[in-house]
Amino acid sequence: MSSRSLAERSPRVRDERAALGTRADIQALRAVAVSLVLIYHLWPNRLTGGFTGVDVFFVISGFLITSHLIGRPPRSGRDLAGFWSRRIRRLLPASLLVLAVTLVASRLVAPETQWAATAKQAGAAALYVVNWLLASDAVDYLAAENSPTPVQHFWSLSVEEQFYIGWPLLILVLVALASRVRRSPTLVVAVGLGAVVAASFAYSVHETVTEPARAYFVTPTRVWELGVGGLLAVLIGKNGFGRGRSVEAVAWPPAARAVLAWTGLAAIVWTAFTYTGATPFPGWHAAVPVLGAAAVIAANAPEAPGSPAGLMAMRPVQWLGDVSYSVYLWHWPLIVLVPYATGSPLGLLDKLTILVASLVLAAWTKRYVEDRFRSPEWGRPLRKSYVLGIAGMAVVVAMAAAQLVEVDRGEDAARRALAAAIADDDPCFGASALAPGVSCPRTTEGPVVPAPAQALKDKSDAYEEVSGGKDCWASAPRFPVTVCEFGDPDAETSVALTGNSHAGQWLPALQEIARARGWRITTYLASQCAAAETEQQFDTADKSGRCSGWVKRVTRRIVTGGYDLVVYTNRISVPSVGNDIAGSQDDYRRGYEKVLSSVRASGVPITVIRDTPAPGTIIPDCLAENASDLTRCSAPRDRWEPAEPVVDAVHDLDDRGIVLADLNDRICRSERCDGAVGGVVVYFDGSHLTATYARTLAPVLERPLMKALARG
């Protein structure tokens, strides 16, 4: 059957689209974009690059918005206010509804550990700045490990809203400039937009290389994608500025336009199947789906033999394009919250149910929310849209703030409970429950201390948010040498603690010992970068090189620092260059040996702490979800306990001045590890000890420290 005959099966759809000024090919492109995102989120291993659907949406938005703006270019503040009023009515009612419903649903079914993060992101999403919050979290190693919230997909909507604020201002300036210099507005606007696109693209490529986690979310790395759509609207439009804008297609023969449309679709689908989470993105890789989407729009697929126009005009495709915005809004909260409601990971039936529910909710939202508020009466008088938009945003922000107040009150109660538990001096508290010869019951149900929501924040004083301003971490991308001191500044015994975040987790235990013995502790800590002379594979070569530089500089500082003892431990967070984690063990063993040998050459004794078990799942979340059966937050010890090449390094060096401390028998039982031991939450995330549990390990850690000091 030809494309033309396929198209003719739905003539009423085409007639309706023409009457509404809506292009069937763009609606179809929306359908493709939301399908990619939906399938990717439900079946990420089947469509590894489905996240590129968002980039397709960006191009569409840039094209349509610019088409409106150049058809009626803004020339005054009132013109801008009218444009933004239409955007408010188009986007805010549905998005604010979903945010409000999600906040309520999250409070009802999600564990208490998720309430604060969801509330913060929902408030930021209501103000359309959540992409910047997520960018900040993305470059925070520990925050990046947090469970996803049901509103984080609003990052792309935030990018678009910020674009909608700045883009009209840019076009207003360019149109005014064209009038002043008496040049064609098409030329001036095209040059101006082209310059912005080029600058944003260059920045995107640079930022993706230097800080890819942040680059994914921030607006400057994404503006060029919307700008490509905007530039296309200028280049292929008909008529003049201010005389209406009839945007059609490239002036090619129908057969060539059909080929162009198929090529664009193929490019989009190719990225969906070949890109993965390891693809540097956005950067230049985003150009493939972006240009693919631009090609489809530029082609405006004609009804000709071999054209995709017939498929695009089919009713189901057009309907999905119509509801794509609401589908995007609803699908992610369902994906995140359904497992909490059912108490189990998503199965096939759950995913199919979410798929259907997303479509049903989207249809309802489109009809009763989107379409209703788009009607002209909601924009008259002009201030009406703004009053309603601000009121809606205020309601969501207030709901988020109320949730944060509840979390704060819960944390106050949790702190009092923790203080009482510590004061109780229970012989089975924390790590003491696993001491040899004692008989303490296994912690199988709550309550536990710190309470799970508080446990997320129960970190050492090395963290800025705990110490109230002192950030003790050398972080990517620069990895500067960062030094912090704790304990008695005039102490006779000086101890250096060095390594990555799994060294930092021992600071609370060291502080307990230091208080009792009058020591001074100096920290040399890095985020992710292990203190090993090993080429470590970060997401950019520059970070790898700077990590190596940090190791060498810190080793020199420790060797010349006059310390009485060095406490050394690391987690293998990234593989060695060219390997996976399993294949990196020998590289790390040799790297550990080099650092330990350098320190020992100065005569300083070393206590090497074997790395601690790592669950890999957020333990406070698990405990909050399973308060009546905490055994669901446990696993065989050999599954959590990592391979530890530093043990082999210590044995190979065979130096009496290096004492190996293996405290894992006080974290796990002989065969099994639990998320809570002795009534205490063991981890504040998926691998790091809570400060409370670390303190209960102080008596056990003290013995190998004193042994090493005696040998020094």
Side-chain angles (χ1 to χ4, degrees):
M1 185 177 290
S2 70
S3 297
R4 178 177 295 276
S5 59
L6 282 171
E8 288 170 350
R9 293 169 59 185
S10 52
R12 192 168 68 87
V13 171
R14 295 198 314 277
D15 293 343
E16 291 171 355
R17 297 297 170 204
L20 294 172
T22 303
R23 281 176 42 172
D25 62 323
I26 291 179
Q27 291 299 90
L29 200 54
R30 282 177 167 148
V32 170
V34 79
S35 297
L36 296 183
V37 173
L38 186 56
I39 295 171
Y40 169 68
H41 283 154
L42 287 171
W43 292 279
N45 294 328
R46 301 291 179 88
L47 198 67
T48 57
F51 55 83
T52 58
V54 171
D55 305 272
V56 175
F57 274 128
F58 283 160
V59 178
I60 296 171
S61 295
F63 177 81
L64 293 177
I65 290 306
T66 308
S67 298
H68 292 314
L69 287 170
I70 61 180
R72 290 190 297 173
R75 302 181 187 276
S76 65
R78 184 170 182 80
D79 290 342
L80 290 173
F83 169 81
W84 289 325
S85 171
R86 292 189 293 275
R87 292 294 88 203
I88 289 171
R89 301 200 311 273
R90 169 69 180 91
L91 300 174
L92 265 63
S95 66
L96 295 176
L97 170 67
V98 172
L99 285 173
V101 171
T102 301
L103 275 170
V104 173
S106 179
R107 173 60 181 80
L108 294 176
V109 304
E112 62 180 290
T113 50
Q114 288 295 297
W115 296 350
T118 299
K120 288 177 182 177
Q121 290 187 21
L127 300 174
Y128 289 95
V129 293
V130 73
N131 63 312
W132 293 100
L133 177 61
L134 291 171
S136 175
D137 288 345
V139 297
D140 181 343
Y141 166 53
L142 295 177
E145 292 188 350
N146 293 342
S147 300
T149 75
V151 297
Q152 70 175 27
H153 65 312
F154 273 77
W155 75 267
S156 64
L157 304 180
S158 296
V159 170
E160 289 197 14
E161 284 297 313
Q162 292 161 36
F163 173 83
Y164 295 152
I165 292 174
W167 203 247
L169 292 170
L170 174 62
I171 290 180
L172 182 149
V173 170
L174 292 173
V175 171
L177 177 63
S179 176
R180 186 175 184 84
V181 299
R182 298 182 180 180
R183 298 285 184 180
S184 163
T186 300
L187 174 63
V188 174
V189 172
V191 171
L193 300 189
V196 171
V197 168
S200 174
F201 179 74
Y203 180 75
S204 182
V205 172
H206 172 267
E207 195 72 356
T208 301
V209 171
T210 58
E211 194 55 74
R214 181 177 183 274
Y216 193 85
F217 294 108
V218 296
T219 307
T221 64
R222 297 288 190 163
V223 164
W224 71 272
E225 301 183 37
L226 294 112
V228 164
L231 192 57
L232 181 65
V234 175
L235 296 177
I236 69 172
K238 298 288 183 69
N239 301 324
F241 279 73
R243 297 194 299 272
R245 198 68 174 173
S246 174
V247 180
E248 295 186 356
V250 290
W252 291 2
R257 286 166 54 198
V259 170
L260 181 62
W262 279 119
T263 302
L265 290 171
I268 295 168
V269 173
W270 179 79
T271 63
F273 280 98
T274 59
Y275 284 10
T276 69
T279 303
F281 208 85
W284 68 265
H285 288 87
V288 180
V290 165
L291 294 179
V296 174
I297 296 172
N300 193 0
E303 294 184 5
S307 171
L311 293 173
M312 290 178 166
M314 293 178 67
R315 284 182 181 277
V317 176
Q318 292 295 300
W319 179 83
L320 184 56
D322 273 348
V323 300
S324 58
Y325 176 56
S326 288
V327 171
Y328 183 82
L329 290 175
W330 284 112
H331 83 284
W332 183 249
L334 292 171
I335 289 173
V336 173
L337 295 177
V338 165
Y340 294 137
T342 61
S344 59
L346 292 178
L348 178 60
L349 182 59
D350 296 317
K351 293 180 179 181
L352 293 175
T353 301
I354 288 172
L355 181 62
V356 173
S358 298
L359 297 176
V360 171
L361 287 169
W364 181 90
T365 306
K366 176 68 167 61
R367 180 174 180 179
Y368 294 106
V369 181
E370 288 189 60
D371 290 347
R372 176 166 296 182
F373 283 94
R374 290 177 72 178
S375 60
E377 61 265 21
W378 287 98
R380 294 192 295 265
L382 188 59
R383 65 177 181 274
K384 184 176 182 180
S385 298
Y386 290 90
V387 171
L388 292 174
I390 292 171
M393 295 167 74
V395 168
V396 174
V397 171
M399 291 174 66
Q403 183 66 83
L404 290 173
V405 169
E406 181 182 4
V407 170
D408 286 342
R409 289 178 178 174
E411 288 183 357
D412 287 341
R415 280 189 285 269
R416 292 192 294 270
L418 175 59
I422 294 173
D424 191 42
D425 201 22
D426 183 352
C428 290
F429 186 71
S432 299
L434 299 181
V438 304
S439 179
C440 295
R442 185 183 181 193
T443 302
T444 58
E445 60 182 10
V448 292
V449 294
Q454 185 188 7
L456 292 170
K457 303 176 182 179
D458 192 27
K459 306 172 186 178
S460 79
D461 288 338
Y463 294 93
E464 183 178 8
E465 64 267 31
V466 177
S467 64
K470 184 187 296 182
D471 184 1
C472 301
W473 300 97
S475 302
R478 295 187 301 275
F479 286 112
V481 175
T482 304
V483 180
C484 288
E485 291 192 351
F486 302 89
D488 185 355
D490 300 318
E492 295 184 1
T493 301
S494 180
V495 179
L497 171 65
T498 186
N500 58 20
S501 60
H502 274 217
Q505 70 181 348
W506 289 104
L507 180 59
L510 287 171
Q511 287 175 291
E512 290 290 304
I513 300 167
R515 273 190 285 269
R517 294 190 172 272
W519 293 354
R520 180 176 70 252
I521 302 167
T522 304
T523 63
Y524 298 91
L525 303 173
S527 178
Q528 289 190 283
C529 177
E533 288 195 28
T534 304
E535 289 188 76
Q536 300 173 48
Q537 181 69 66
F538 284 82
D539 51 12
T540 70
D542 181 63
K543 290 182 187 177
S544 296
R546 289 180 181 270
C547 169
S548 295
W550 176 85
V551 174
K552 293 174 182 176
R553 294 194 304 274
V554 164
T555 303
R556 286 195 298 268
R557 291 279 291 269
I558 290 174
V559 166
T560 61
Y563 296 105
D564 300 291
L565 174 67
V566 173
V567 180
Y568 180 90
T569 186
N570 296 277
R571 177 193 185 193
I572 300 179
S573 297
V574 296
S576 60
V577 172
N579 294 301
D580 57 14
I581 293 291
S584 303
Q585 302 301 306
D586 284 343
D587 288 343
Y588 272 99
R589 175 182 56 77
R590 289 189 290 269
Y592 289 148
E593 288 180 8
K594 291 177 182 177
V595 171
L596 295 174
S597 296
S598 296
V599 175
R600 281 299 295 143
S602 68
V604 183
I606 306 171
T607 296
V608 175
I609 305 176
R610 176 175 180 156
D611 192 18
T612 51
T617 57
I618 308 300
I619 289 300
D621 286 354
C622 181
L623 297 175
E625 291 178 64
N626 301 283
S628 61
D629 183 10
L630 301 184
T631 62
R632 298 184 67 177
C633 305
S634 64
R637 179 167 172 169
D638 59 4
R639 188 186 302 171
W640 284 10
E641 199 164 39
E644 182 53 304
V646 78
V647 174
D648 294 330
V650 171
H651 291 158
D652 290 348
L653 291 172
D654 193 22
D655 186 329
R656 290 187 72 256
I658 304 177
V659 175
L660 180 65
D662 186 347
L663 279 62
N664 287 355
D665 284 343
R666 294 297 187 90
I667 298 173
C668 297
R669 300 176 186 274
S670 59
E671 300 294 333
R672 201 161 189 86
C673 296
D674 291 329
V677 172
V680 178
V681 179
V682 180
Y683 303 94
F684 67 73
D685 58 4
S687 73
H688 299 85
L689 300 177
T690 61
T692 300
Y693 197 83
R695 291 187 190 100
T696 69
L697 288 163
V700 194
L701 178 61
E702 187 173 17
R703 289 193 288 271
L705 297 183
M706 298 306 297
K707 183 178 180 180
L709 275 171
R711 292 180 178 181

